[in-house]
Structure formats: C-alpha cells, structure tokens
Amino acid sequence: MAKGDNGRNLNGAPIFIIWFQMLVSVGCCALLGSFSRVHPMFSFHPQFEYDPKVALKIAPLSMVFVGMIAFNNLCLKYVPLSFYNIARSLTICFNVLFTKLLLGKSTSTNAVVCCSVVVAGFFLGSTDDISFDLLGTIFGVLSSVFVSLNSIYVAKVMPFVQNNQWKLSMYNSVNAALIFPLIMVGMGELQTLRTSPAISNSYFWFLMIVTALLGFAINIA
C-alpha cells in the first residue's frame, strides 16, 4: 500500500491501489505479448488476447481472486501484521475443508491434527486485546477462505486457456480490473480520491508505478 507524508498517503482507498496495480499488470501483459512477436527472449509469453466467451468462463476465478486481494488488504488496514499472519494461517484449514467439499478428496488424520493446532493458535492470538479487531479479524478469515478457493478454481479453469498460465493471468487480470471499480464505488472510495492530495502528488504516482511493476515482476519470476 502506498504510504507517506506530505500528501503521499492514500490509506482510505486500498481498493483503488489494487485496481491501479491490475491496470499496470494488464499493460505489462500486452507489452510482453507484443515483444514476443519480435524477440525470442519473450517467446514464453503469448500474444495478448481477450475473448469474451473465455473471459466469462474465467469469471468465477476472477471473482474469487478479487475477494482474496480485497479482503487481504482490508485486513491489513485494521490489524497489525503479527495478527494478520495469525488470521491468514487459517488458509491451511480451509484448504482441507474445501478439498473435501468441492473436490471430494479425503484428508489424512495428521492433516486434521495440524488444522486443530492452527485453529487453537488462532483463538489464542485472538485473545490479545492489543492486536484484536473484530472487523479486521473477519476480513482476515474471509481472505483465508478466498485464498483456499483461488487455488481450487485455478485448477478448474486452466483447461479453458489450454493450461497456459500466462493466458490465465491475462484473462484474470483484465476481469479483475473490470470488477474492482464496482467495489471502489460500493466502499465510497471515489470521495476519498476526490479529496486526497496524494492524487496530485507526483511522488505518490512514482511509488504506485514502481510498486505495481515490482508486483508484476514477482508474479512472473
């Protein structure tokens, strides 16, 4: 999240920041797709495409992805990093649960015991009055739910893009870039954007662009 002093702070609009990163990601995919035509070094990336029929099939994953990223950032907005890590540890438990419910696969006794330990640790961490925040905790749990669902839906939609992870990334990024503005409006972030001095701060935009590029680079590494 882009932070700073002297008009460089936009903590009131976390979804806008994510949306901007998605736009940069889409732009990077388009550039890499163009470069792949002229230089073999970029041949790993397919040419940019967006077929509405394929995009509709990818939409369930995109909605899960948007929920995962949004709740992740909202959790960090309300709780410190230490408690955020505790809340996100529930991902292991939801992985076991959804593997059983959605994929019909059984879970070993050892995995259930490990999940019990994680849940116990979560409740112990929740008793810390200094770090506990009800809304932040809810967002953290929901983030864990969507992280678990994301891996499952990735496997489900892969055949629609010929099992090509780069194509999946393209479609998912475009879909997410179309969904995030709806959440921004629903959360009233437009008012924050209109009144924040960060919008007219060049250093803020420099940080936004660098952060988005680094995020994209990490994803393709």
Side-chain angles (χ1 to χ4, degrees):
M1 186 168 295
K3 296 180 180 179
D5 298 319
N6 302 321
R8 303 173 197 164
N9 195 317
L10 200 60
N11 287 339
I15 304 303
F16 167 76
I17 294 174
I18 307 170
W19 178 61
F20 179 82
Q21 293 174 343
M22 286 295 103
L23 292 179
V24 172
S25 178
V26 171
C28 289
C29 286
L31 283 175
L32 287 176
S34 299
F35 292 158
S36 66
R37 287 185 257 178
V38 298
H39 200 289
M41 183 176 70
F42 300 100
S43 60
F44 66 90
H45 198 284
Q47 295 184 23
F48 186 83
E49 65 175 60
Y50 189 76
D51 184 340
K53 294 181 179 179
V54 176
L56 191 60
K57 295 177 181 178
I58 305 297
L61 168 65
S62 300
M63 288 186 283
V64 169
F65 174 77
V66 167
M68 177 183 72
I69 301 298
F71 287 124
N72 184 70
N73 277 35
L74 289 171
C75 176
L76 281 171
K77 180 180 178 180
Y78 290 97
V79 301
L81 184 60
S82 57
F83 187 79
Y84 162 82
N85 289 328
I86 295 174
R88 282 295 305 276
S89 66
L90 292 177
T91 300
I92 302 171
C93 303
F94 288 119
N95 279 339
V96 171
L97 177 63
F98 291 137
T99 297
K100 177 64 177 179
L101 294 179
L102 300 180
L103 301 180
K105 296 181 179 179
S106 59
T107 304
S108 67
T109 303
N110 290 338
V112 174
V113 171
C114 290
C115 288
S116 301
V117 174
V118 170
V119 171
F122 171 75
F123 282 108
L124 285 174
S126 301
T127 60
D128 184 358
D129 293 334
I130 298 177
S131 61
F132 179 77
D133 180 277
L134 179 59
L135 191 57
T137 301
I138 293 174
F139 287 145
V141 173
L142 288 174
S143 175
S144 295
V145 169
F146 281 99
V147 168
S148 299
L149 289 173
N150 186 71
S151 59
I152 292 174
Y153 275 93
V154 164
K156 283 190 172 185
V157 303
M158 265 295 189
F160 300 138
V161 289
Q162 297 80 47
N163 293 316
N164 189 310
Q165 62 175 341
W166 301 109
K167 281 189 177 182
L168 182 61
S169 177
M170 282 191 294
Y171 278 99
N172 197 37
S173 295
V174 175
N175 284 351
L178 295 174
I179 296 172
F180 274 123
L182 302 177
I183 302 177
M184 286 167 51
V185 173
M187 295 187 62
E189 290 193 4
L190 294 183
Q191 178 62 28
T192 301
L193 296 175
R194 283 194 292 263
T195 59
S196 174
I199 296 300
S200 58
N201 188 300
S202 58
Y203 186 67
F204 165 79
W205 287 108
F206 169 75
L207 292 177
M208 287 277 284
I209 293 171
V210 170
T211 301
L213 291 175
L214 289 175
F216 181 79
I218 291 172
N219 286 333
I220 68 173

PDB file of all heavy atoms in Angstrom, residues 96-114:
ATOM      1  N   VAL A  96      -8.098 -27.799   3.595  1.00  0.00           N
ATOM      2  CA  VAL A  96      -8.560 -29.147   3.927  1.00  0.00           C
ATOM      3  C   VAL A  96     -10.072 -29.256   3.758  1.00  0.00           C
ATOM      4  O   VAL A  96     -10.592 -30.221   3.175  1.00  0.00           O
ATOM      5  CB  VAL A  96      -8.165 -29.497   5.377  1.00  0.00           C
ATOM      6  CG1 VAL A  96      -8.821 -30.813   5.809  1.00  0.00           C
ATOM      7  CG2 VAL A  96      -6.656 -29.583   5.507  1.00  0.00           C
ATOM      8  N   LEU A  97     -10.793 -28.232   4.232  1.00  0.00           N
ATOM      9  CA  LEU A  97     -12.257 -28.246   4.168  1.00  0.00           C
ATOM     10  C   LEU A  97     -12.758 -28.242   2.723  1.00  0.00           C
ATOM     11  O   LEU A  97     -13.600 -29.064   2.335  1.00  0.00           O
ATOM     12  CB  LEU A  97     -12.811 -27.034   4.915  1.00  0.00           C
ATOM     13  CG  LEU A  97     -14.335 -26.853   4.885  1.00  0.00           C
ATOM     14  CD1 LEU A  97     -15.032 -28.025   5.561  1.00  0.00           C
ATOM     15  CD2 LEU A  97     -14.732 -25.538   5.544  1.00  0.00           C
ATOM     16  N   PHE A  98     -12.233 -27.334   1.901  1.00  0.00           N
ATOM     17  CA  PHE A  98     -12.719 -27.215   0.525  1.00  0.00           C
ATOM     18  C   PHE A  98     -12.251 -28.369  -0.352  1.00  0.00           C
ATOM     19  O   PHE A  98     -12.914 -28.713  -1.333  1.00  0.00           O
ATOM     20  CB  PHE A  98     -12.269 -25.877  -0.068  1.00  0.00           C
ATOM     21  CG  PHE A  98     -12.943 -24.690   0.565  1.00  0.00           C
ATOM     22  CD1 PHE A  98     -12.222 -23.550   0.886  1.00  0.00           C
ATOM     23  CD2 PHE A  98     -14.297 -24.710   0.849  1.00  0.00           C
ATOM     24  CE1 PHE A  98     -12.830 -22.452   1.480  1.00  0.00           C
ATOM     25  CE2 PHE A  98     -14.928 -23.629   1.441  1.00  0.00           C
ATOM     26  CZ  PHE A  98     -14.194 -22.497   1.755  1.00  0.00           C
ATOM     27  N   THR A  99     -11.114 -28.961  -0.021  1.00  0.00           N
ATOM     28  CA  THR A  99     -10.665 -30.143  -0.756  1.00  0.00           C
ATOM     29  C   THR A  99     -11.671 -31.281  -0.591  1.00  0.00           C
ATOM     30  O   THR A  99     -11.954 -32.026  -1.526  1.00  0.00           O
ATOM     31  CB  THR A  99      -9.277 -30.593  -0.259  1.00  0.00           C
ATOM     32  OG1 THR A  99      -8.322 -29.563  -0.521  1.00  0.00           O
ATOM     33  CG2 THR A  99      -8.834 -31.864  -0.962  1.00  0.00           C
ATOM     34  N   LYS A 100     -12.228 -31.368   0.614  1.00  0.00           N
ATOM     35  CA  LYS A 100     -13.230 -32.389   0.886  1.00  0.00           C
ATOM     36  C   LYS A 100     -14.575 -32.045   0.255  1.00  0.00           C
ATOM     37  O   LYS A 100     -15.207 -32.884  -0.410  1.00  0.00           O
ATOM     38  CB  LYS A 100     -13.388 -32.557   2.407  1.00  0.00           C
ATOM     39  CG  LYS A 100     -14.472 -33.548   2.829  1.00  0.00           C
ATOM     40  CD  LYS A 100     -14.154 -34.960   2.384  1.00  0.00           C
ATOM     41  CE  LYS A 100     -15.201 -35.941   2.883  1.00  0.00           C
ATOM     42  NZ  LYS A 100     -14.920 -37.337   2.435  1.00  0.00           N
ATOM     43  N   LEU A 101     -15.023 -30.782   0.419  1.00  0.00           N
ATOM     44  CA  LEU A 101     -16.359 -30.396  -0.025  1.00  0.00           C
ATOM     45  C   LEU A 101     -16.451 -30.225  -1.542  1.00  0.00           C
ATOM     46  O   LEU A 101     -17.449 -30.632  -2.148  1.00  0.00           O
ATOM     47  CB  LEU A 101     -16.776 -29.093   0.661  1.00  0.00           C
ATOM     48  CG  LEU A 101     -16.975 -29.141   2.175  1.00  0.00           C
ATOM     49  CD1 LEU A 101     -17.362 -27.773   2.703  1.00  0.00           C
ATOM     50  CD2 LEU A 101     -18.035 -30.174   2.554  1.00  0.00           C
ATOM     51  N   LEU A 102     -15.426 -29.623  -2.152  1.00  0.00           N
ATOM     52  CA  LEU A 102     -15.503 -29.292  -3.570  1.00  0.00           C
ATOM     53  C   LEU A 102     -14.852 -30.326  -4.477  1.00  0.00           C
ATOM     54  O   LEU A 102     -15.283 -30.515  -5.616  1.00  0.00           O
ATOM     55  CB  LEU A 102     -14.863 -27.915  -3.817  1.00  0.00           C
ATOM     56  CG  LEU A 102     -15.503 -26.737  -3.071  1.00  0.00           C
ATOM     57  CD1 LEU A 102     -14.773 -25.449  -3.405  1.00  0.00           C
ATOM     58  CD2 LEU A 102     -16.990 -26.614  -3.425  1.00  0.00           C
ATOM     59  N   LEU A 103     -13.808 -30.972  -3.983  1.00  0.00           N
ATOM     60  CA  LEU A 103     -13.096 -31.947  -4.801  1.00  0.00           C
ATOM     61  C   LEU A 103     -13.382 -33.387  -4.398  1.00  0.00           C
ATOM     62  O   LEU A 103     -13.028 -34.322  -5.114  1.00  0.00           O
ATOM     63  CB  LEU A 103     -11.588 -31.684  -4.743  1.00  0.00           C
ATOM     64  CG  LEU A 103     -11.130 -30.300  -5.223  1.00  0.00           C
ATOM     65  CD1 LEU A 103      -9.615 -30.180  -5.112  1.00  0.00           C
ATOM     66  CD2 LEU A 103     -11.578 -30.035  -6.652  1.00  0.00           C
ATOM     67  N   GLY A 104     -13.989 -33.561  -3.223  1.00  0.00           N
ATOM     68  CA  GLY A 104     -14.344 -34.901  -2.781  1.00  0.00           C
ATOM     69  C   GLY A 104     -13.172 -35.758  -2.365  1.00  0.00           C
ATOM     70  O   GLY A 104     -13.266 -36.983  -2.352  1.00  0.00           O
ATOM     71  N   LYS A 105     -12.044 -35.115  -2.033  1.00  0.00           N
ATOM     72  CA  LYS A 105     -10.856 -35.862  -1.621  1.00  0.00           C
ATOM     73  C   LYS A 105     -10.778 -35.935  -0.108  1.00  0.00           C
ATOM     74  O   LYS A 105     -11.059 -34.965   0.588  1.00  0.00           O
ATOM     75  CB  LYS A 105      -9.593 -35.190  -2.175  1.00  0.00           C
ATOM     76  CG  LYS A 105      -9.521 -35.183  -3.701  1.00  0.00           C
ATOM     77  CD  LYS A 105      -8.241 -34.532  -4.179  1.00  0.00           C
ATOM     78  CE  LYS A 105      -8.155 -34.536  -5.706  1.00  0.00           C
ATOM     79  NZ  LYS A 105      -6.910 -33.877  -6.171  1.00  0.00           N
ATOM     80  N   SER A 106     -10.401 -37.100   0.394  1.00  0.00           N
ATOM     81  CA  SER A 106     -10.299 -37.289   1.839  1.00  0.00           C
ATOM     82  C   SER A 106      -9.025 -36.665   2.387  1.00  0.00           C
ATOM     83  O   SER A 106      -8.072 -36.398   1.650  1.00  0.00           O
ATOM     84  CB  SER A 106     -10.337 -38.781   2.178  1.00  0.00           C
ATOM     85  OG  SER A 106      -9.267 -39.453   1.530  1.00  0.00           O
ATOM     86  N   THR A 107      -9.018 -36.425   3.693  1.00  0.00           N
ATOM     87  CA  THR A 107      -7.885 -35.784   4.358  1.00  0.00           C
ATOM     88  C   THR A 107      -7.324 -36.715   5.414  1.00  0.00           C
ATOM     89  O   THR A 107      -8.076 -37.391   6.123  1.00  0.00           O
ATOM     90  CB  THR A 107      -8.331 -34.462   5.014  1.00  0.00           C
ATOM     91  OG1 THR A 107      -8.922 -33.637   4.018  1.00  0.00           O
ATOM     92  CG2 THR A 107      -7.163 -33.747   5.632  1.00  0.00           C
ATOM     93  N   SER A 108      -6.013 -36.767   5.529  1.00  0.00           N
ATOM     94  CA  SER A 108      -5.380 -37.652   6.498  1.00  0.00           C
ATOM     95  C   SER A 108      -5.590 -37.160   7.924  1.00  0.00           C
ATOM     96  O   SER A 108      -5.871 -35.977   8.161  1.00  0.00           O
ATOM     97  CB  SER A 108      -3.879 -37.759   6.216  1.00  0.00           C
ATOM     98  OG  SER A 108      -3.244 -36.507   6.465  1.00  0.00           O
ATOM     99  N   THR A 109      -5.444 -38.067   8.866  1.00  0.00           N
ATOM    100  CA  THR A 109      -5.590 -37.721  10.280  1.00  0.00           C
ATOM    101  C   THR A 109      -4.534 -36.707  10.704  1.00  0.00           C
ATOM    102  O   THR A 109      -4.819 -35.785  11.485  1.00  0.00           O
ATOM    103  CB  THR A 109      -5.463 -38.987  11.157  1.00  0.00           C
ATOM    104  OG1 THR A 109      -6.448 -39.948  10.742  1.00  0.00           O
ATOM    105  CG2 THR A 109      -5.676 -38.646  12.618  1.00  0.00           C
ATOM    106  N   ASN A 110      -3.338 -36.841  10.193  1.00  0.00           N
ATOM    107  CA  ASN A 110      -2.272 -35.901  10.534  1.00  0.00           C
ATOM    108  C   ASN A 110      -2.625 -34.471  10.107  1.00  0.00           C
ATOM    109  O   ASN A 110      -2.342 -33.503  10.817  1.00  0.00           O
ATOM    110  CB  ASN A 110      -0.952 -36.318   9.869  1.00  0.00           C
ATOM    111  CG  ASN A 110      -0.377 -37.569  10.476  1.00  0.00           C
ATOM    112  OD1 ASN A 110      -0.686 -37.926  11.617  1.00  0.00           O
ATOM    113  ND2 ASN A 110       0.463 -38.267   9.730  1.00  0.00           N
ATOM    114  N   ALA A 111      -3.249 -34.344   8.934  1.00  0.00           N
ATOM    115  CA  ALA A 111      -3.642 -33.026   8.448  1.00  0.00           C
ATOM    116  C   ALA A 111      -4.708 -32.417   9.340  1.00  0.00           C
ATOM    117  O   ALA A 111      -4.688 -31.215   9.633  1.00  0.00           O
ATOM    118  CB  ALA A 111      -4.157 -33.117   7.017  1.00  0.00           C
ATOM    119  N   VAL A 112      -5.643 -33.250   9.810  1.00  0.00           N
ATOM    120  CA  VAL A 112      -6.700 -32.759  10.700  1.00  0.00           C
ATOM    121  C   VAL A 112      -6.108 -32.298  12.032  1.00  0.00           C
ATOM    122  O   VAL A 112      -6.507 -31.267  12.599  1.00  0.00           O
ATOM    123  CB  VAL A 112      -7.755 -33.858  10.942  1.00  0.00           C
ATOM    124  CG1 VAL A 112      -8.771 -33.406  11.991  1.00  0.00           C
ATOM    125  CG2 VAL A 112      -8.456 -34.207   9.635  1.00  0.00           C
ATOM    126  N   VAL A 113      -5.135 -33.048  12.539  1.00  0.00           N
ATOM    127  CA  VAL A 113      -4.473 -32.663  13.791  1.00  0.00           C
ATOM    128  C   VAL A 113      -3.752 -31.325  13.619  1.00  0.00           C
ATOM    129  O   VAL A 113      -3.831 -30.434  14.476  1.00  0.00           O
ATOM    130  CB  VAL A 113      -3.472 -33.759  14.227  1.00  0.00           C
ATOM    131  CG1 VAL A 113      -2.639 -33.263  15.403  1.00  0.00           C
ATOM    132  CG2 VAL A 113      -4.222 -35.037  14.606  1.00  0.00           C
ATOM    133  N   CYS A 114      -3.067 -31.159  12.501  1.00  0.00           N
ATOM    134  CA  CYS A 114      -2.367 -29.899  12.226  1.00  0.00           C
ATOM    135  C   CYS A 114      -3.346 -28.738  12.156  1.00  0.00           C
ATOM    136  O   CYS A 114      -3.072 -27.641  12.673  1.00  0.00           O
ATOM    137  CB  CYS A 114      -1.591 -29.999  10.914  1.00  0.00           C
ATOM    138  SG  CYS A 114      -0.163 -31.095  10.983  1.00  0.00           S
TER     139      CYS A 114
END
